[in-house]
Amino acid sequence: MTLLSAGAVAIDGRLCRPGWVRTAGRRILACGAGAPPAVADADFPDSIVVPGFVDMHVHGGAGASFCDADAARVAAAARFHQRHGTTTMLASLVTAAPEPLLCAVRALTEATRLGTVAGIHLEGPWLSRARCGAHDPEWTRAPDPAEIDALLAAADGTIRMVTLAPELPGSTKAIRRLRDAGVVVAVGHTDATYQQTTRALALGASVGTHLCNAMAPLHHREPGPVLALLADPRVTVEIIADGVHVHPDVVRAVIGAAGPHRVALVTDAIAAAGHGDGGYRLGPVEIEVRGGVARVAGTSTIAGGTATMDRLFRAVAGAGGSRTDDALLAAVQMTSATPARALGLDGVGALRSGYDANLVVLDQDLRVSAVMANGDWRVRAGG
């Protein structure tokens, strides 16, 4: 067993100053406010302990991509994000030809069974060519029942989420088939109208993939998918709060409109995260990273992110003397509980008795100083 105490602990929606957490094996045994019930094994008097981050949309990091279908590279990318506090993540795949996509799904199915990732997110190939963003338009296509069945069979229950464009032919049947298989359906990379989007939500789609990015913009006569996703209380909206994909004031407006319980911060990180500027690939597409901003080579099209979840946490939690407990708790909600609930993940996303022992220790500047994943310290303060 491990008993840790800290100057502040975010326990199941409350900020306890001070607080403590006791773990046993892979689980949280108990947690509470005030002084710990015994001498702590680890004491962080000037830090805040929060639940491990849950990133429901990430493509890679540290020079490695989940699209590579290579176990060592998948593990390297996962370890990188874990060092930045992400203890639970979906491995996101991009649009590709049928056979490479199937191979990548098979590789990530094994990575899911090993616990390296929590499941697979298919971001494509059933996307709008007009809103494909960094996806290869040659391989965007309408949903095909045979292909969906083949991917579901290969994944054997490890596909957690699929992003699709609901205006495509066959999308109604696709949404129904995926929901019947227990897959979360997200609306994204779409040129759908407001009506087409609301129809998809009525069929069971429940997530908006990186809201505002790669979708028809909000217009006062043609509100499109943005308003439909924001207006439906059943929908969780992803947002990339890195200061590149969405203006910070728009991020604040989205959080104000939907509330932290409906907003999931995501990195959309590619292999370049933590690896610097240069040339990369996102599936079959060549990417150039300059000044930390990833774009499709030779174009102005943004191509995924280079930030980590701790950076997004800091972006929404506020800085220095302007930081409030409400802002901290909102950041905790959007980086852990909200994405966990959106994906239907049990036992993660909060510090609560019986939950997985996933936690992040943040210093006074909200930088990661320690990370525990499934009861094991993966990053220790001072080393």
Side-chain angles (χ1 to χ4, degrees):
M1 290 194 294
T2 299
L3 176 63
L4 63 92
S5 63
V9 182
I11 300 175
D12 204 13
R14 299 177 298 136
L15 197 60
C16 301
R17 295 181 182 273
W20 56 272
V21 180
R22 190 193 293 273
T23 66
R26 296 171 57 91
R27 306 290 180 190
I28 295 172
L29 187 63
C31 44
V39 176
D41 301 296
D43 186 22
F44 305 98
D46 299 318
S47 300
I48 176 173
V49 176
V50 301
F53 304 138
V54 179
D55 192 351
M56 59 193 291
H57 190 156
V58 53
H59 296 278
S65 172
F66 292 135
C67 300
D68 294 340
D70 176 272
R73 292 176 66 77
V74 168
R79 283 194 304 270
F80 165 75
H81 285 288
Q82 196 172 75
R83 291 196 298 272
H84 288 271
T86 300
T87 54
T88 304
M89 70 197 81
L90 290 193
S92 298
L93 295 175
V94 294
T95 297
E99 190 54 36
L101 184 61
L102 198 59
C103 288
V105 165
R106 290 190 182 111
L108 290 173
T109 295
E110 182 60 24
T112 303
R113 290 189 180 124
L114 292 171
T116 308
V117 297
I120 302 168
H121 165 213
L122 293 182
E123 190 185 13
W126 309 304
L127 308 178
S128 163
R129 186 163 295 186
R131 301 285 177 181
C132 63
H135 292 251
D136 188 344
E138 179 182 352
W139 291 111
T140 58
R141 48 196 183 268
D144 174 68
E147 182 177 33
I148 292 173
D149 285 346
L151 288 165
L152 290 173
D156 192 23
T158 62
I159 294 176
R160 283 270 182 185
M161 187 166 74
V162 168
T163 294
L164 56 74
E167 71 273 21
L168 294 177
S171 63
T172 294
K173 288 183 178 179
I175 293 170
R176 287 177 174 149
R177 174 69 181 97
L178 292 165
R179 292 300 298 125
D180 286 346
V183 176
V184 173
V185 176
V187 172
H189 285 275
T190 177
D191 211 27
T193 64
Y194 180 86
Q195 291 76 15
Q196 288 169 326
T197 307
T198 57
R199 190 178 309 124
L201 303 182
L203 289 168
S206 59
V207 170
T209 294
H210 44 48
L211 189 76
C212 301
N213 295 118
M215 59 179 61
L218 179 64
H219 186 276
H220 58 287
R221 286 189 295 272
E222 297 291 342
V226 174
L227 184 61
L229 293 164
L230 280 175
D232 194 318
R234 299 168 296 182
V235 173
T236 299
V237 292
E238 297 180 352
I239 199 153
I240 311 170
D242 60 359
V244 174
H245 285 78
V246 183
H247 191 282
D249 285 343
V250 176
V251 173
R252 283 189 282 272
V254 168
I255 296 169
H261 65 291
R262 287 185 49 215
V263 176
L265 300 185
V266 298
T267 62
D268 198 11
I270 64 170
H275 208 247
D277 289 357
Y280 297 88
R281 297 189 73 86
L282 183 59
V285 177
E286 292 187 8
I287 307 297
E288 293 177 347
V289 179
R290 298 289 179 267
V293 179
R295 301 185 188 276
V296 175
T299 78
S300 61
T301 301
I302 295 175
T306 61
T308 48
M309 286 292 279
D310 55 329
R311 176 175 151 191
L312 304 188
F313 187 103
R314 291 191 294 274
V316 300
S322 65
R323 187 183 302 140
T324 66
D325 284 2
D326 285 346
L328 282 169
L329 288 172
V332 169
Q333 177 76 31
M334 293 184 287
T335 54
S336 55
T338 296
R341 177 188 49 78
L343 295 173
L345 295 173
D346 296 326
V348 299
L351 300 181
R352 184 184 301 171
S353 178
Y355 272 43
D356 292 350
N358 296 332
L359 56 87
V360 184
V361 181
L362 301 171
D363 66 17
Q364 291 181 322
D365 295 322
L366 301 183
R367 298 188 180 277
V368 174
S369 61
V371 178
M372 177 182 284
N374 294 318
D376 291 330
W377 290 109
R378 305 301 171 87
V379 178
R380 289 298 300 266

